[in-house]
Amino acid sequence: MMRCKFIGIMALALVAATGSARAADRLVVGFSQIGSESGWRAAETKVAKMEAEKRGIELKISDAQQKEENQIKAVRSFIAQGVDAIFIAPVVATGWEAVLKEAKDAKIPVILLDRGIDVKDEGLYLTVVRSDAVYEGQVAGEWLAKAATGACNIVELQGTVGASVAIDRKKGFEKIVSETPRLKIVRTQSGDFTRAKGKEVMESFIKAENGGKTICAMYAHNDDMAIGGIQAIKAAGLKPGKDILVVSIDGVPDIFKAMADGEANASVELTPDMAGPAFDALLAFKANGTVPPKWIKTTTRLYQPDTAKAEYERRKDLY
Ligand code: AHR
């Protein structure tokens, strides 16, 4: 009886010392996710859940439906709940200062996933886990500069307006185009990283470009828009991958299927595992104050049809 009373008192003391019962056992991370606009995004969410579970972390995910205002609300709600850390995949690069300052004042570390932000004070976040998206655009451009031997009119499907990855993927690709006089971007517009808008925009490009006959290549900032574009090319009676070359970014199973079927030519891989390195950085920071590098850079790799079938099989269940 005496022993039970003693354990009860100790438990109460622990709760008082840590501020809450759950802080004594599990780390709680709030994740403001952009939405589910692409296959890649859905995979990133799935991997984040798996990586959290592996480490015994409680992950609270809030879906922003591609709106920054929803992300800001979610971050404020995570602050009010007193989570141990906040992950944000920022839909656009600007407008983050005020809410990040609130998180900092509450002493809650913030880690950015897969996209960057424009802030004067980089101390507003602990680290960002993302690829070099300028380099991704360059890799796509270099592939095209080799694949298209003659003059080539390119149409570009851009990602979400204001998203760091859309800005950077455009910049990297344009660099190669400017160095290669044979290549010319004749049309460029946002397809908001979705398959439906990619299709819609490509349909309008085809109409404007002599039924698609004056288009040599389509560069899409992600695979989902490329898949939508491929549908539009086929509907116009042209052969994607042959009449119009297709190069995009992500490396999702559907693009490997399209490559295996001869309807796409190249994809630059972006790993969906952004949360794993973020959790590791957070755990080290919480354990002994280890400050991670400001940019945890993921690797970039170009894939082509030669390995498409095997890559599709390898990835189809993960995504
Ligand atoms: O920020 C990463 C990009 O966002 C992916 O390339 C795209 O598919 C997603 O929606």
Side-chain angles (χ1 to χ4, degrees):
M1 189 62 184
M2 269 301 279
R3 199 166 168 268
C4 285
K5 208 172 168 190
F6 175 74
I7 292 170
I9 291 165
M10 286 304 284
L12 281 175
L14 190 63
V15 168
T18 56
S20 70
R22 61 100 186 135
D25 38 45
R26 298 184 93 187
L27 210 63
V28 178
V29 175
F31 176 20
S32 170
Q33 176 58 294
I34 292 173
S36 49
E37 74 281 3
S38 65
W40 184 91
R41 181 71 49 202
E44 185 195 42
T45 304
K46 188 173 169 183
V47 174
K49 287 180 188 164
M50 284 162 37
E51 294 298 318
E53 207 178 310
K54 260 193 223 166
R55 293 165 178 83
I57 292 171
E58 183 181 340
L59 187 65
K60 297 177 173 217
I61 302 180
S62 173
D63 179 331
Q65 315 266 321
Q66 280 193 272
K67 289 198 176 79
E68 185 182 37
E69 68 206 65
N70 292 343
Q71 292 204 284
I72 290 172
K73 271 188 211 146
V75 172
R76 290 202 168 118
S77 157
F78 290 142
I79 295 170
Q81 291 168 52
V83 297
D84 298 299
I86 298 173
F87 289 2
I88 309 172
V91 61
V92 291
T94 55
W96 293 101
E97 249 106 0
V99 76
L100 291 188
K101 174 108 189 14
E102 289 166 37
K104 195 173 182 181
D105 291 346
K107 300 200 174 9
I108 299 175
V110 169
I111 298 184
L112 306 176
L113 302 189
D114 76 83
R115 296 185 187 178
I117 57 172
D118 294 337
V119 281
K120 279 201 194 91
D121 175 11
E122 286 200 335
L124 290 174
Y125 59 89
L126 182 64
T127 182
V128 55
V129 183
R130 66 174 177 88
S131 63
D132 181 343
V134 175
Y135 179 63
E136 290 170 342
Q138 281 180 23
V139 171
E142 278 159 5
W143 173 83
L144 186 59
K146 278 195 202 124
T149 46
C152 182
N153 282 350
I154 305 157
V155 294
E156 178 187 32
L157 297 171
Q158 294 180 40
T160 301
V161 176
S164 68
V165 279
I167 297 163
D168 291 350
R169 286 171 182 173
K170 182 165 185 51
K171 190 171 164 191
F173 188 80
E174 275 176 347
K175 180 179 181 286
I176 304 301
V177 169
S178 70
E179 293 165 0
T180 319
R182 291 179 295 102
L183 307 182
K184 189 175 172 201
I185 300 172
V186 290
R187 312 249 160 209
T188 178
Q189 199 179 311
S190 172
D192 209 12
F193 281 129
T194 71
R195 203 172 281 214
K197 286 197 188 144
K199 181 168 184 266
E200 199 181 297
V201 174
M202 191 58 190
E203 280 165 357
S204 72
F205 286 165
I206 289 170
K207 254 190 215 137
E209 290 292 330
N210 200 15
K213 291 189 193 74
T214 46
I215 302 172
C216 150
M218 173 178 77
Y219 164 50
H221 289 191
N222 81 344
D223 289 344
D224 275 74
M225 291 190 293
I227 306 284
I230 288 170
Q231 290 167 1
I233 295 168
K234 291 208 283 194
L238 296 168
K239 291 194 181 78
K242 293 181 185 74
D243 297 328
I244 297 180
L245 299 173
V246 177
V247 57
S248 54
I249 297 168
D250 273 356
V252 300
D254 283 356
I255 205 73
F256 285 109
K257 192 167 183 316
M259 277 199 257
D261 293 344
E263 295 183 343
N265 306 89
S267 181
V268 182
E269 181 188 41
L270 173 69
T271 176
D273 184 14
M274 299 285 159
F279 285 133
D280 289 343
L282 176 67
L283 289 171
F285 180 69
K286 290 273 182 194
N288 50 27
T290 304
V291 178
K294 209 73 216 178
W295 180 1
I296 299 175
K297 205 187 283 190
T298 61
T299 51
T300 296
R301 185 173 158 189
L302 178 77
Y303 283 91
Q304 294 180 71
D306 53 336
T307 57
K309 205 164 177 300
E311 287 300 329
Y312 173 73
E313 290 302 326
R314 196 165 72 78
R315 289 157 199 255
K316 70 178 195 301
D317 298 326
L318 175 65
Y319 283 75

